[in-house]
Amino acid sequence: MASAKERVLTALTKLNQGTDAVETMTIAEALDLSRSVTSHYLSQLLTENKVQKLTGRPVRWQLVQAAPAPIPEPALQLHAFAEIIGANGSQIDNIRKCIAAVKYPNGGLNMLLTGKSGVGKTFLAHTIYDYARDTKVIAADAPFKVLNCADYANNPELLSSVLFGYVKGAFTGANTNKEGLIQAADGGYLLLDEIHRLSGENQEKLFTFMDTGHFRPIGENRRDSTAQVRIILATTEDPNTVLLDTFQRRVPVSVHITSYADRPLDERLAFIRTLFHGEAQRFNSQLQVAPEVLQMLAALRPVGNVGRLKNLIKVACARAFTRQTDQHPEQMGITLEDFEGEGLTVHADELVITAPMTIPVEMATPGAVTETGGDAAAIQQFLTDQAHPTAADSRLMVQTLEAQHAHDPIRQTILHTLHERLYTRIVRHRFGLKSTAEYEPIFFRLYAERVTVSPDQLRHLQREAAANFPRSLHVADQFYAALPVLNQASHDLLAALLACCISELVDEKIPLRCLMVAHGSRTATSIQSVVNQLCGTYLVDAIDMPIDTTIDQIIGEAKRIVDSFDTSNGFILLVDMGSLSQLYRKIKNALSGDVLVINNLTTATALDIALKMQSRLPFEQIAEHARTDYAISAQYFEGFAKDQNIVISCMSGLGISEKLRDIFHEVLGSQISLVTMDFSHLQQSVRANDRSEFESTLLVITTTNLPESFAIPNINIYDLLAPRGQVFLHDILKKYIDQRTFDDLYNRIVRFLSIEGVTERLSFLNPTVIIQEVETVIYKFEHYYRIKLDGKIKLNLYMYISLMVERLMTGAGADRASDLAPESSSEKDFFDVAKGICKPLELKYHIDINGYELSLLYQLFQAIISDQNTPSIS
């Protein structure tokens, strides 16, 4: 039984047949409904764009008239143009121009062909002539004449005589009348090649003829001659710089022929097939062209375009023939070896083309690469009939087309192999949508046929997909981004249709987004494939970072992906190296919610995150699990940290920052979050004075002084070693740790900085070992003299004693007065105490701490003790 809303629409449809618009009450009475109920359903239909409300009182309604179905453009009769590769593809607009120029009444239109050397300008000119004969626009025996203007660039008078002819006696040697090319081309075509070599004077001489059809041979002063000639001009140069404006105005049709390297892949393959076919006929032998040859030739950017490609193939086939023992081989194999010595580049990337190409001796000339079937009309009609198609409607339409083609062979084997392999790798494996294999054949057919619809229909379908299936559309976009573009409008249409088809297998309600970035050509995407396939659907994204890829390139790719995400519910970034955390800085403006960075990407970690996302676990819980469950570095990034945190940023790099972070973490545990930040990132934040980035930050530790305007508590790491810095750090942390724990932390920091400094200066002693031994010496001095040394003094002692041991071991400074005696009783007492404390060092390293070294140590300690007002020495 129809719903009430459907009954309202049906009633309006019937009532509208007798009048332009119907009042609400009229519809209500026809259905025996109340006016308010009828108005409610009419409002719903208005929202669905099925009815429209007219202004004024009383309110009146009428149906939304469906747009008339577009009148299909009549099939283009190509005739000779069917020989042009890309006639139904990239060159269709050029061919339409050519046909229009040929069919223009009263002699057609002059044409200018532009394009680089070897693109086929002369071939196209001959084809235009053949088309004009095929369609009986000119006579079957009409002439086709060619003049290369370069041959006469330095002799304009000779060129004039060749073009216009001359009469007897016009100049010395003109013994008879001579017909020019214009007269010889009467009723047909004249091709003026390399027209840019035609001087301005000779361009002007053509004006009168191009305007009126009249000309005068050289030496003729009384009578005009006439001819009806269709002129085709060709040049490799920019016509705006080499032709007079007045000359260009007389050539209304301009056709630019695309270079070989800029043609779509299927057309480049068609060129390759056609050229190899010519050689197969010449050698009367079937050719088997290796995939790597096809890959190399398809990726080639030959300076001479198709002309250069033709010569390369000729030479390669000649070389292949010389390898044959049979003078009349039935089959020849063409390999990369046959192209050696030509200075060609073979791309080392994974082959795009994996299937060989077999070229028989006899085959149909490829001409137009594809023949458009009824698929475009079917899709166009569907979008016309369904003004607001649902995903189910679109899926059904595609499945109907698939059923219609179920038994049709797919013609383009190499292109299909590429399409199938990319579809399998990206859609089915990387995004985990294994059960979408049924869609691949029909989407290949639509791709190969370059199926398009009107711009309005395309925009509508794209809006529907983006609004309702953003995750599905992302999968489709990633697939079509990897697939070579044959036609951009077709590419965009198929992405929207594929999103509708796979949307039933993608959970669009998953709130979080997760991106993985890893070094290596396939590391991240391999993990992505495993995770999405194990989860059975699309949950995570990935970017591979080959070793030779710059961070700016990765940031650009990450921005492109993140821009298409809704990150308001949370964004998770998994990276495999700490340096990649700077990705966040560059992409944060595209993010609108909380961010979790996990700095140790593994398959197990990624799978665990994906399963939590699939279970709809809230972002905060995932972040907490990441902090406590993984033996990795996981944190809210920068100002997004919800716990109290300390930011550590060292100018020397994240390595130092991470070691300091580990020291803090070992002592503080999880009481305070620890964030390492790239120093350049910190500088930008400081300059911006962005307080929001540090809302929960207790302290910023860095290796340089920050400006006073920066409101967050901060300190130079080396200032921590001074008494004032030690007190400053203690005041920050005293709410979280007791005095003993703080002393442990502080001593670890001093020891770490000492190791860093000593490492730079020691030649062969193990810094870690000697520092531990020096630490014992310092402790004994503190205990004996009942003093508490601050960090800066300890750092100096670490440095001095470690270097002293290495000096004595190596004999450096042996020429000094090593037997220096103490000058006072207090100094003698210190010598005795120091010798006793340092005895273990002497025994272990087989050294003797002499009077000179003890005197330096005494002076150092005397300054220390006097600073602390301790009269133990002096």
Side-chain angles (χ1 to χ4, degrees), residues 454-639:
S454 72
D456 287 342
Q457 290 170 323
L458 174 59
R459 280 192 293 271
H460 165 72
L461 200 59
Q462 287 177 316
R463 284 195 298 266
E464 289 293 309
N468 299 308
F469 324 116
R471 295 179 72 92
S472 302
L473 184 59
H474 176 67
V475 175
D477 284 341
Q478 290 295 295
F479 167 59
Y480 281 101
L483 197 64
V485 176
L486 304 185
N487 178 285
Q488 189 59 57
S490 177
H491 237 54
D492 296 340
L493 168 66
L494 295 180
L497 282 177
L498 181 59
C500 293
C501 289
I502 64 177
S503 61
E504 61 180 346
L505 300 170
V506 176
D507 189 346
E508 296 287 349
K509 295 182 180 179
I510 291 177
L512 306 181
R513 286 289 191 170
C514 177
L515 177 64
M516 304 180 298
V517 182
H519 289 82
S521 58
R522 282 290 183 85
T523 305
T525 51
S526 294
I527 295 175
Q528 179 192 17
S529 295
V530 171
V531 170
N532 285 334
Q533 288 183 69
L534 288 176
C535 293
T537 189
Y538 158 42
L539 292 166
V540 298
D541 283 276
I543 300 175
D544 291 315
M545 186 176 180
I547 300 303
D548 57 350
T549 304
T550 66
I551 188 65
D552 287 339
Q553 290 173 313
I554 295 301
I555 287 168
E557 177 67 9
K559 280 183 176 179
R560 187 183 66 79
I561 291 179
V562 171
D563 282 343
S564 66
F565 289 171
D566 175 9
T567 58
S568 59
N569 295 305
F571 178 72
I572 302 171
L573 177 64
L574 293 93
V575 296
D576 70 339
M577 289 189 182
S579 61
L580 290 182
S581 295
Q582 63 187 285
L583 272 175
Y584 168 74
R585 176 69 183 181
K586 298 296 184 180
I587 65 176
K588 72 171 189 174
N589 289 338
L591 304 175
S592 55
D594 291 335
V595 181
L596 172 66
V597 175
I598 299 177
N599 182 16
N600 189 6
L601 172 60
T602 65
T603 303
T605 304
L607 179 59
D608 187 57
I609 290 290
L611 290 171
K612 287 180 170 63
M613 290 170 57
Q614 195 170 29
S615 301
R616 305 290 202 283
L617 203 65
F619 179 81
E620 291 77 9
Q621 292 186 35
I622 294 178
E624 185 58 32
H625 280 297
R627 190 191 310 279
T628 59
D629 293 355
Y630 311 145
I632 58 175
S633 166
Q635 66 209 39
Y636 281 105
F637 202 82
E638 301 169 3

Side-chain angles (χ1 to χ4, degrees), residues 432-467:
L433 306 178
K434 289 186 176 180
S435 42
T436 63
E438 61 179 340
Y439 291 116
E440 189 278 326
I442 183 59
F443 273 95
F444 167 70
R445 187 175 293 278
L446 298 175
Y447 165 72
E449 292 180 357
R450 295 174 163 87
V451 171
T452 59
V453 294
S454 72
D456 287 342
Q457 290 170 323
L458 174 59
R459 280 192 293 271
H460 165 72
L461 200 59
Q462 287 177 316
R463 284 195 298 266
E464 289 293 309

Side-chain angles (χ1 to χ4, degrees), residues 292-355:
E292 54 269 26
V293 170
L294 299 174
Q295 168 67 18
M296 182 267 292
L297 294 177
L300 206 60
R301 303 191 73 86
V303 174
N305 283 287
V306 179
R308 168 66 169 154
L309 184 69
K310 181 177 182 179
N311 289 334
L312 287 171
I313 288 174
K314 280 180 177 292
V315 173
C317 290
R319 288 175 174 171
F321 180 72
T322 61
R323 296 200 311 269
Q324 308 297 318
T325 56
D326 187 351
Q327 289 300 309
H328 302 287
E330 292 186 2
Q331 179 170 306
M332 293 195 309
I334 310 297
T335 67
L336 282 177
E337 180 185 352
D338 299 314
F339 291 86
E340 287 183 358
E342 298 292 343
L344 306 178
T345 300
V346 179
H347 293 265
D349 300 338
E350 178 191 359
L351 285 179
V352 171
I353 299 171
T354 58

Side-chain angles (χ1 to χ4, degrees), residues 52 409 552 683 742 849:
Q52 58 184 358
D552 287 339
Q683 283 185 312
F742 175 79
I849 302 178

Side-chain angles (χ1 to χ4, degrees), residues 425-439:
R425 191 180 80 192
I426 296 173
V427 178
R428 299 184 61 213
H429 290 170
R430 272 184 55 188
F431 289 98
L433 306 178
K434 289 186 176 180
S435 42
T436 63
E438 61 179 340
Y439 291 116

Side-chain angles (χ1 to χ4, degrees), residues 754 757-765 770-771 774 795-812 816 841 847 853:
S754 302
V758 169
T759 298
E760 295 179 1
R761 291 168 174 79
L762 289 178
S763 299
F764 61 88
L765 282 180
I770 189 65
I771 286 295
V774 172
L795 181 61
N796 287 334
L797 287 172
Y798 277 121
M799 293 280 190
Y800 175 78
I801 298 173
S802 300
L803 294 172
M804 177 191 72
V805 171
E806 186 165 283
R807 272 200 312 272
L808 293 171
M809 289 180 64
T810 60
R816 294 170 181 162
L841 287 177
I847 60 174
E853 298 290 355

